[in-house]
Amino acid sequence: RTRMVPFAHLVPRLRRLVRQTCQELGKQAQLKVLGAQEEMDRTALERITAPLEHMLRNAVVHGIEDPQRRQEAGKPAAGTISVSLVREGADVVIRVSDDGGGIKLDAVRRQAIAQGLMAADAELSDREVMQFILAAGLSTAETVTQIAGRGVGLDVATAEIKQLGGILDIDSEAGGGTTFTIRFPFTLAVNQALFCQIGEAVYAIPLASVVGVVRMQHEELQRCYASSHAAYCEYAGERYQLRALSSLLATGEPQLPGPGNQAPVILVRVGDERLAVHVEALLGNREIVVKSVGAQLSTVPGIYGATVLADGRVVLILDIGSLADAEPAATAAAPPSLPAAAAGADPARKPTVLVVDDSITMRKAATRLLERNGMTVVTVKDGVEAVAQLQEKVPDAVLLDIEMPRMDGYELAAYMRNEERLRSVPIIVVSSRAGAKHRQQALEIGVDRYLGKPYQEAELLGNLRAVLEAAGSGG
């Protein structure tokens, strides 16, 4: 209780921000706050303040139209921005919505194509296009001012929300306004979690999302996994889609309990999604202290946080909903023809990809992704090591970072394009330098594709498949 403070403490600051932004832009808007009496963890309130302020500023700058345009559209001259806070189980849900013009999807699409975030012929849904506004450097503002146009803000806000173990969802309607929904733990200090085991690894699942636990026979699980269709189980009149935790985590094939035995299945409900998660063993539920996993791991889908057991082991706390959303995309992104197309005449040979990055986290993440999709991976930490590796073997493609010690990505790419035997090897740059200047410099050297960090797995695999197929066909 000593950590709890009312959300109302933040309201005067938010009202002042909306008022000042309206005055600077000549717009009219009123702020409505619902649920201000609700209490939040003091640390969470402090850390959510900056993301909230940026979303309110965005609502005035990009959402609320000029008074004259609003009246022409049949709306009141003054716009309405609302902030609502509610408790849902062990989570706090904050919604920031406005009655403005909505997200300009055409402008977002143009900017995303210009920055290389999506292909010009990509068929993405409106909801998928909306997610690009969270990318660093992307802005739909026509001019750069003190309060808009630099493309900095929402990406930082998203990172801060993920650090809290939370998620951000966007919903927009053309001419009808936009709603940002933030969901994060009620308290960052203590939570209840159900512990489970896969192989020798232990994981924790927040108890707030667990509906119940059932047991399934070996034969029934075997039949479900053998089927080509999605498997479901019934519980309390509701259907839950059966998934193995080992598959969601991409750690291997599901381990069945053996003929005549039963395996535990955790029933999880996240929003409208219902999942039955098959695990190898249950270790009971405990009260845990939730700790942040840091800036690098917090960007990995499905990791809610971490806790430390009494024996010193670190246990990851899983966000099952995010895992379920991320897993199909990664699986579907690599078609069975990828290794064959890259290998040319020899369909049995796996394509070899050289990953050059000074970040061990990025090297491991790329290795896991590419190996899961049928490729052989070689990793080095800078350009000098890459040159030595290229002397021994020519890979089918290179994933290249820009900022590295000793020899950076530009120098390595230039070296490869000046070497006869390396000139045709496809190079995909994956860098946090997302600016047009850096992109142009890399393309002038002769790299094939340029992606920003953090990248979408499906996007990276799609680009890699395209350059491998082009190389395999001689194009």
Side-chain angles (χ1 to χ4, degrees):
R1 291 292 301 169
T2 60
R3 293 177 62 89
M4 297 298 143
V5 291
F7 182 70
H9 285 188
L10 191 59
V11 173
R13 180 172 172 173
L14 301 181
R15 290 193 190 281
R16 185 168 60 252
L17 174 75
V18 171
R19 188 167 59 249
Q20 289 175 346
T21 309
C22 285
Q23 288 172 352
E24 290 177 28
L25 298 175
K27 295 183 178 182
Q28 300 175 21
Q30 58 176 332
L31 178 66
K32 292 183 177 180
V33 181
L34 306 172
Q37 72 284 355
E38 291 283 353
E39 293 186 330
M40 288 176 56
D41 184 295
R42 183 187 301 275
T43 306
L45 183 63
E46 290 171 356
R47 293 179 62 178
I48 206 68
T49 300
L52 273 179
E53 287 180 337
H54 189 80
M55 288 175 193
L56 289 175
R57 198 178 289 113
N58 260 15
V60 177
V61 176
H62 300 290
I64 302 297
E65 312 94 329
D66 295 329
Q68 183 179 350
R69 191 179 300 177
R70 288 182 61 85
Q71 288 176 328
E72 289 171 357
K75 297 180 181 179
T80 301
I81 303 171
S82 63
V83 176
S84 67
L85 184 145
V86 293
R87 281 280 306 278
E88 291 185 6
D91 290 343
V92 173
V93 179
I94 299 177
R95 291 183 176 87
V96 180
S97 56
D98 64 71
D99 64 349
I103 294 174
K104 302 176 183 69
L105 290 176
D106 289 341
V108 175
R109 196 182 296 269
R110 283 196 305 272
Q111 288 289 330
I113 293 171
Q115 294 192 19
L117 299 174
M118 64 177 282
D121 57 351
E123 296 182 2
L124 299 181
S125 67
D126 289 350
R127 195 169 185 82
E128 289 172 320
V129 172
M130 280 180 210
Q131 302 305 314
F132 288 123
I133 70 171
L134 306 179
L138 191 145
S139 176
T140 57
E142 295 176 0
T143 57
V144 178
T145 67
Q146 284 288 90
I147 55 177
R150 292 166 295 165
V152 178
L154 271 181
D155 60 314
V156 178
T158 308
E160 188 67 38
I161 290 166
K162 287 183 176 178
Q163 282 279 302
L164 286 170
I167 56 174
L168 174 63
D169 188 46
I170 310 168
D171 191 26
S172 183
E173 179 186 346
T178 304
T179 300
F180 289 89
T181 303
I182 310 168
R183 181 185 297 270
F184 58 92
F186 170 65
T187 172
L188 302 183
V190 179
N191 215 328
Q192 294 281 338
L194 180 64
F195 283 69
C196 59
Q197 191 167 346
I198 296 292
E200 296 182 0
V202 177
Y203 298 98
I205 299 174
L207 210 57
S209 60
V210 177
V211 177
V213 176
V214 297
R215 293 190 173 273
M216 293 181 68
Q217 293 287 345
H218 168 91
E219 292 75 16
E220 189 178 357
L221 286 168
Q222 194 173 41
R223 187 169 61 254
C224 289
Y225 291 138
S227 171
S228 58
H229 303 290
Y232 292 88
C233 66
E234 297 277 342
Y235 179 80
E238 293 184 334
R239 295 179 78 206
Y240 292 79
Q241 186 180 357
L242 180 65
R243 307 289 284 277
L245 185 57
S246 56
S247 298
L248 292 175
L249 295 171
T251 58
E253 293 296 317
Q255 296 298 312
L256 299 180
N261 295 323
Q262 295 180 325
V265 175
I266 304 170
L267 304 175
V268 178
R269 181 171 180 173
V270 182
D272 296 330
E273 201 164 15
R274 296 178 179 85
L275 294 171
V277 183
H278 164 218
V279 298
E280 292 176 25
L282 289 181
L283 306 177
N285 66 295
R286 310 178 193 180
E287 192 173 74
I288 58 172
V289 176
V290 181
K291 296 180 180 292
S292 169
V293 291
Q296 291 174 315
L297 276 181
S298 64
T299 61
V300 178
I303 298 181
Y304 171 92
T307 190
V308 182
L309 300 184
D311 60 5
R313 283 183 295 166
V314 175
V315 173
L316 291 178
I317 306 167
L318 303 178
D319 179 356
I320 298 296
S322 296
L323 278 176
D325 290 341
E327 193 245 359
T331 305
S337 61
L338 178 55
D346 182 5
R349 190 179 78 84
K350 292 182 178 181
T352 300
V353 180
L354 176 63
V355 177
V356 190
D357 200 310
D358 61 333
S359 165
I360 188 171
T361 306
M362 294 302 294
R363 292 201 301 271
K364 286 186 174 180
T367 300
R368 181 176 165 183
L369 170 66
L370 300 181
E371 287 182 345
R372 197 167 70 221
N373 287 278
M375 287 172 254
T376 301
V377 182
V378 179
T379 63
V380 293
K381 68 175 182 289
D382 60 32
V384 173
E385 287 190 8
V387 169
Q389 182 65 41
L390 290 167
Q391 299 295 332
E392 298 177 12
K393 185 178 180 181
V394 178
D396 294 292
V398 175
L399 294 187
L400 180 61
D401 186 23
I402 291 296
E403 295 175 295
M404 296 181 293
R406 299 202 289 179
M407 180 188 283
D408 67 19
Y410 296 131
E411 294 171 309
L412 179 60
Y415 164 80
M416 291 179 64
R417 290 299 175 248
N418 289 324
E419 283 283 321
E420 183 65 33
R421 65 190 188 91
L422 301 174
R423 193 168 293 162
S424 61
V425 176
I427 301 175
I428 297 179
V429 169
V430 183
S431 173
S432 55
R433 290 185 174 184
K437 180 182 71 174
H438 303 297
R439 187 183 304 275
Q440 187 60 34
Q441 184 177 348
L443 293 174
E444 286 174 359
I445 291 172
V447 306
D448 296 82
R449 304 292 171 95
Y450 197 108
L451 305 179
K453 289 181 183 176
Y455 56 81
Q456 297 292 322
E457 291 187 350
E459 181 189 15
L460 175 62
L461 288 167
N463 279 281
L464 190 53
R465 179 185 64 188
V467 297
L468 286 171
E469 285 178 348
S473 62

